């Protein structure tokens, strides 16, 4: 995405996201898991992943906006799209006919000592959204990747 023209789809980029397994602790104000985000500025991201040996496990992708708040929080506002053709991101069609949006807020904690403070700050960010959207902690079991590796 071009910061000077963020809504221009011709300047959009792909982001590859690798999500690790979440910690099994319950009662925490956030799901804690390793995540690596890599922005693809040129080339074909799906073809690159294919060359690395990855295969499609799902026929859904997200399209939307990725914002940074306080240089700490990633706010991802996206819609879910379904692929009409396997592996063809260009064939993606909106999955929800009502056009619902998903809002995800995440923060980077570099070590375990920072996790409680990040959870507190996530609650503060959640309060900023309370008049617009409902942010909930997703149970880590729903975040599990069920990708069969061969």
């Amino acid at each position: 995405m071009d910061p000077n023209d963020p809504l221009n789809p011709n300047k959009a980029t792909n982001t590859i996201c690798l999500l690790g397994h979440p910690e099994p602790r319950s009662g925490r104000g956030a799901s804690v898991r390793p995540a690596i985000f890599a922005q693809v500025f040129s080339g074909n991201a799906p073809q690159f992943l294919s060359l690395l040996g990855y295969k499609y496990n799902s026929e859904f992708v997200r399209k939307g906006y990725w914002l940074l708040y306080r240089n700490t929080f990633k706010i991802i506002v996206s819609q879910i799209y379904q692929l009409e053709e396997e592996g063809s991101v260009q064939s993606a069609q909106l999955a929800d006919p009502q056009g619902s949006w998903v809002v995800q807020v995440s923060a980077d904690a570099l070590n375990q000592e920072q996790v409680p403070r990040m959870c507190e700050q996530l609650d503060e960010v959640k309060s900023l959204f309370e008049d617009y959207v409902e942010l909930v902690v997703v149970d880590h079991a729903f975040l599990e990747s069920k990708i069969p590796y061969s």
Side-chain angles (χ1 to χ4, degrees):
M1 168 174 59
D2 181 356
N4 297 323
D5 193 6
L7 300 179
N8 186 341
N10 297 325
K11 296 182 179 180
T13 58
N14 292 305
T15 301
I16 299 170
C17 179
L18 175 65
L19 299 175
H21 291 286
E23 291 183 3
R25 293 184 191 175
S26 61
R28 191 178 256 164
S31 295
V32 177
R33 69 183 317 171
I36 299 171
F37 294 90
Q39 211 164 358
V40 180
F41 292 102
S42 65
N44 186 325
Q47 184 180 27
F48 173 69
L49 289 173
S50 176
L51 291 171
L52 290 177
Y54 288 93
K55 296 183 173 126
Y56 273 89
N57 183 55
S58 172
E59 65 275 5
F60 297 97
V61 294
R62 294 189 310 179
K63 288 184 181 181
Y65 305 96
W66 187 33
L67 312 158
L68 192 60
Y69 177 68
R70 289 190 191 167
N71 289 329
T72 304
F73 301 98
K74 291 180 189 79
I75 301 172
I76 300 170
V77 181
S78 59
Q79 290 180 300
I80 308 298
Y81 285 75
Q82 186 169 7
L83 301 182
E84 297 295 319
E85 297 175 35
E86 184 177 317
S88 174
V89 177
Q90 291 76 17
S91 72
Q93 299 295 320
L94 194 58
D96 180 11
Q98 296 177 353
S100 299
W101 290 82
V102 176
V103 178
Q104 176 184 347
V105 180
S106 62
D108 295 332
L110 300 175
N111 55 48
Q112 285 294 333
E113 291 79 28
Q114 290 180 324
V115 171
R117 178 66 184 135
M118 284 295 151
C119 289
E120 290 173 13
Q121 290 181 354
L122 280 168
D123 281 338
E124 292 171 15
V125 172
K126 180 179 175 180
S127 69
L128 296 174
F129 284 95
E130 66 188 359
D131 291 337
Y132 308 103
V133 295
E134 180 182 358
L135 295 177
V136 296
V137 178
V138 177
D139 184 356
H140 72 86
F142 293 110
L143 298 174
E144 285 275 335
S145 296
K146 305 271 191 246
I147 301 173
Y149 293 99
S150 55

